[in-house]
Amino acid sequence: MGSSIRAIVDINKRANDFSSSIVLVLGPDHYIDAKSILGLSMTLYRNQTYLLYVYGPDQMEAKAAMREVFAKHHLQLQLKED
């Protein structure tokens, strides 16, 4: 499996481990649910920093997991902090 495909699958699987909403913001009107493998497949590029919003009952754990999986695949991540 290619590295970008593996990143998409890993991010999607990890996001689905949580009940919190996990959303990538790609522009003023472009939001992708990290739990949607189809949405992720059209958005991940290595030369971009991703803004991620995480809200819900397990948001702290979800944020830590997303940091970990993005770092594993050398993808830059900026988390929206409360």
Side-chain angles (χ1 to χ4, degrees), residues 7-24 31-41 43-44 52-59 62-63 66 70:
I8 290 165
V9 170
D10 285 353
I11 291 167
N12 177 260
K13 280 184 173 181
R14 199 65 180 118
N16 278 295
D17 287 341
F18 300 96
S19 61
S20 290
S21 174
I22 303 173
V23 178
L24 284 169
Y31 303 90
I32 301 295
D33 183 346
K35 296 177 183 181
S36 166
I37 200 156
L38 180 60
L40 286 174
S41 68
T43 61
L44 289 181
L52 194 68
Y53 286 79
V54 181
Y55 294 103
D58 54 1
Q59 70 183 7
K63 285 180 181 182
M66 291 294 99
F70 272 73

Side-chain angles (χ1 to χ4, degrees), residues 41-75:
S41 68
M42 298 180 181
T43 61
L44 289 181
Y45 303 100
R46 294 205 185 282
N47 61 349
Q48 183 172 338
T49 298
Y50 296 95
L51 177 59
L52 194 68
Y53 286 79
V54 181
Y55 294 103
D58 54 1
Q59 70 183 7
M60 298 308 290
E61 297 88 353
K63 285 180 181 182
M66 291 294 99
R67 277 189 197 100
E68 182 180 300
V69 74
F70 272 73
K72 173 184 174 183
H73 293 285
H74 309 288
L75 296 168

